[in-house]
Amino acid sequence: MDNGREQKTEEAGLAANDYVTRVVDDPTALPRVAWNALLQHCDDPSPFVRHEYLCALHQSESAAPHTGWAPRFISLWLGDELHAVCPLYLKSHSYGEYVFDWAWAEAYQRHGLRYYPKAVIAVPFTPVTGARLLARDAHARAALLRAAQAYCEAENISSLHLLFARDADMATAATQGLMARHTVQFHWQNGTPPYADFDSFLLTLNQEKRKKIRQERRKVSDAGVRFRWARGQDITAADWAFFYRCYERTYLEHGNAPYLTPAFFEAIARDMPGHWLLFIAEDAQGRPIASSLIALSDTGASPAVAYGRYWGALERVDCLHFEACYYQPLMWCIAHGVRRFEGGAQGEHKMARALLPVKTHSAHWLAHPAFADAVERFLTREGEGVDNYMAHLEARNPFKQQSARR
């Protein structure tokens, strides 16, 4: 689609000044400062919806038409002012989303219908909850979602999916008839008051879990492995290059090419350095053998949220994954007063490391009425299953009873 396609969007209360909708296929065509300013209107903004991050995905060709992610960013304007925007992609598959709809696509195919391309309002390859409908206010947010639906209808797109959305976005979606879906992730919360150190955190766990964590950490220490960390500009080009070797190795060991290219990591290191924290494991001879990359919600001394993103190892050491991906980051979070650490998608094993289950949310619109009805019935049953699963997990809380709701 050509940049700058426009249409009028009526919005109650705007008098003679109606929004103009523009759909662009290159995020660099949208103004960085205005985009990031809209993000600051949102609750709990994450770095993954920053203009720099999305441009890095696009310019590195990590998320591009040839990888199945065709950008169609929707923006609303009043004159020269950007009032709302969202990252929308047309997808030719369902990889890299972490909200699984393969069965829906198969059902369409069995009935001779086309499910792809579909539209997603999402951050590619990033199962992290955050604002998706960036807007100055609730009116602009609602108008933006209506514009996205109108685009899908005009282009004969099968469906629209709003993935890993915050409450404000989900409320807007509900008013416009999108169907809610829920999945489960595992997050760590700092104490109230914050933990003084890692040992004080461990003392809140039950004896079994506390003993297990100490045993796992001892295995890594006894193997002679030590860790160092670097943040922002202190992460050297050599550190980033080593991290990519580890990241690439993890994907190749599972028989897949990595989603993200070296150019992507070069871009985020250059354009948003303060949002990245890198842990590097070194053996007894000081040789780097593993690394884990953490994203930070903001660039301050005490970020509000840390996000576990990628890890990889060139050598195998028992329990090294747990140390690199959980214990080292949690130590850093405690030392720096971080409120929450999100461990990524799925993984019940995270509960043993004191990451507790939380619901994540998405919203879905299907153009075909019969399939929309069938999916709505499915989501009702699935939602009941998620509630039962959450209750089962909460019964396995790893904290001491008196500490479970710190």
Side-chain angles (χ1 to χ4, degrees):
M1 173 171 297
D2 293 334
N3 289 344
R5 173 172 176 168
E6 299 185 0
Q7 64 186 59
K8 287 284 187 177
T9 301
E10 299 292 337
E11 175 61 15
L14 289 177
N17 295 317
D18 295 334
Y19 289 127
V20 170
T21 300
R22 296 175 183 159
V23 182
V24 303
D25 58 10
D26 183 348
T28 64
L30 295 165
R32 177 182 60 83
V33 173
W35 177 296
N36 289 339
L38 288 177
L39 181 59
Q40 297 311 309
H41 285 274
C42 303
D43 293 335
D44 204 8
S46 86
F48 308 108
V49 198
R50 288 186 65 85
H51 187 266
E52 297 92 334
Y53 189 88
L54 295 165
C55 287
L57 287 168
H58 179 79
Q59 293 178 310
S60 68
E61 298 191 349
S62 298
H66 72 90
T67 65
W69 295 82
R72 296 291 188 272
F73 286 18
I74 311 289
S75 59
L76 299 187
W77 298 77
L78 278 180
D80 294 332
E81 294 185 351
L82 180 66
H83 276 234
V85 67
C86 66
L88 184 144
Y89 295 87
L90 298 185
K91 292 293 304 297
S92 59
H93 54 66
S94 293
Y95 292 105
E97 298 171 19
Y98 303 94
V99 177
F100 303 109
D101 62 350
W102 298 103
W104 303 0
E106 291 172 1
Y108 267 67
Q109 185 177 19
R110 287 197 302 270
H111 287 80
L113 300 174
R114 187 181 68 172
Y115 188 67
Y116 303 111
K118 64 176 184 178
V120 298
I121 300 175
V123 182
F125 323 119
T126 308
V128 175
T129 294
R132 297 293 178 261
L133 304 172
L134 279 57
R136 291 193 175 191
D137 52 40
H139 291 300
R141 185 182 303 112
L144 179 63
L145 184 56
R146 282 197 295 273
Q149 288 180 272
Y151 169 79
C152 291
E153 291 173 341
E155 298 295 325
N156 198 28
I157 305 300
S158 73
S159 52
L160 175 65
H161 310 267
L162 180 68
L163 306 183
F164 294 101
R166 281 281 178 221
D167 291 347
D169 293 342
M170 290 298 294
T172 299
T175 64
Q176 296 183 199
L178 276 72
M179 299 173 285
R181 190 179 190 185
H182 311 287
T183 53
V184 177
Q185 288 187 350
F186 297 84
H187 300 171
W188 175 87
Q189 298 282 347
N190 209 332
T192 306
Y195 300 116
D197 52 36
F198 194 78
D199 284 338
S200 66
F201 154 63
L202 286 183
L203 289 175
T204 65
L205 302 178
N206 64 48
Q207 182 179 8
E208 176 190 359
K209 297 300 188 292
R210 185 167 63 248
K211 180 179 178 181
K212 181 180 181 65
I213 289 174
R214 286 174 171 161
Q215 288 174 338
E216 290 176 344
R217 301 201 70 196
R218 192 175 301 116
K219 289 179 180 179
V220 177
S221 177
D222 288 350
V225 176
R226 299 293 182 267
F227 277 82
R228 62 178 176 88
W229 62 265
R231 181 182 178 185
Q233 301 286 3
D234 293 332
I235 306 175
T236 68
D239 290 338
W240 279 108
F242 174 73
F243 159 76
Y244 194 83
R245 287 178 60 201
C246 296
Y247 164 77
E248 183 179 45
R249 171 73 68 86
T250 299
Y251 274 86
L252 294 177
E253 286 180 348
H254 290 86
N256 300 308
Y259 284 136
L260 302 172
T261 66
F264 166 78
F265 290 104
E266 292 170 5
I268 62 170
R270 179 188 65 243
D271 297 336
M272 46 188 300
H275 288 282
W276 305 104
L277 172 66
L278 183 64
F279 292 90
I280 294 182
E282 298 175 340
D283 66 12
Q285 289 72 47
R287 295 183 302 111
I289 61 171
S291 64
S292 65
L293 184 66
I294 309 298
L296 303 173
S297 60
D298 53 84
T299 59
S302 298
V305 188
Y307 310 89
R309 296 308 305 127
Y310 306 106
W311 110 286
L314 305 185
E315 296 185 14
R316 297 189 181 278
V317 175
D318 195 14
C319 296
L320 181 58
H321 172 259
F322 302 137
E323 184 70 24
C325 296
Y326 305 120
Y327 305 141
Q328 289 290 324
L330 290 184
M331 287 178 62
W332 194 93
C333 288
I334 292 170
H336 292 81
V338 175
R339 186 179 73 238
R340 184 174 77 247
F341 174 72
E342 300 190 8
Q346 306 166 329
E348 281 187 33
H349 67 278
K350 295 170 186 172
M351 283 196 69
R353 283 91 202 168
L355 280 72
L356 299 183
V358 297
K359 278 187 179 181
T360 59
H361 311 286
S362 60
H364 307 267
W365 169 84
L366 282 73
H368 195 289
F371 272 96
D373 289 343
V375 166
E376 186 172 27
R377 292 193 297 272
F378 164 79
L379 291 179
T380 298
R381 296 192 303 271
E382 184 186 58
E384 294 170 353
V386 169
D387 288 339
N388 292 334
Y389 179 54
M390 286 285 293
H392 169 72
L393 292 174
E394 288 168 359
R396 296 160 48 194
N397 192 302
F399 288 89
K400 295 176 182 177
Q401 190 63 37
Q402 65 270 28
S403 303
R405 301 296 179 194
R406 283 177 61 98

